[in-house]
Amino acid sequence: MDDAAFDAIAARGSQARGNLVAALRECGDLAEAVEALEGPELLEVLVYLDSLRYVMAESGQLLQGVVRGFDEDR
């Protein structure tokens, strides 16, 4: 793998990791809202959690691929 390809993969992995960490932190922050809110406010938080779940799944899978790819190149 040439340096440019390695750098591009590393950048994608770094971005995926950052997105995953941010989404996980937001989920933790939203725990109290899920516990305390009701009605439309709770629904809004639940919809937002679904979007975070999507980000976590996508970023987690991308990061897994990057890690596996780096392990295979060693």
Side-chain angles (χ1 to χ4, degrees):
M1 178 183 311
D2 66 14
D3 288 343
F6 182 86
D7 290 346
I9 292 170
R12 288 183 71 199
S14 180
Q15 181 65 45
R17 184 187 300 241
N19 290 345
L20 183 56
V21 168
L24 288 167
R25 285 189 177 132
E26 284 188 61
C27 283
D29 292 342
L30 291 170
E32 289 181 23
V34 171
E35 185 175 51
L37 295 176
E38 293 188 22
E41 291 87 6
L42 176 57
L43 183 58
E44 185 177 331
V45 170
L46 295 173
V47 169
Y48 185 64
L49 281 171
D50 277 345
S51 71
L52 288 177
R53 192 176 65 189
Y54 172 78
V55 168
M56 288 188 292
E58 182 179 45
S59 297
Q61 288 179 347
L62 194 146
L63 189 54
Q64 286 177 38
V66 168
V67 170
R68 286 186 181 119
F70 282 152
D71 285 346
E72 289 174 3
D73 287 340
R74 288 184 184 173

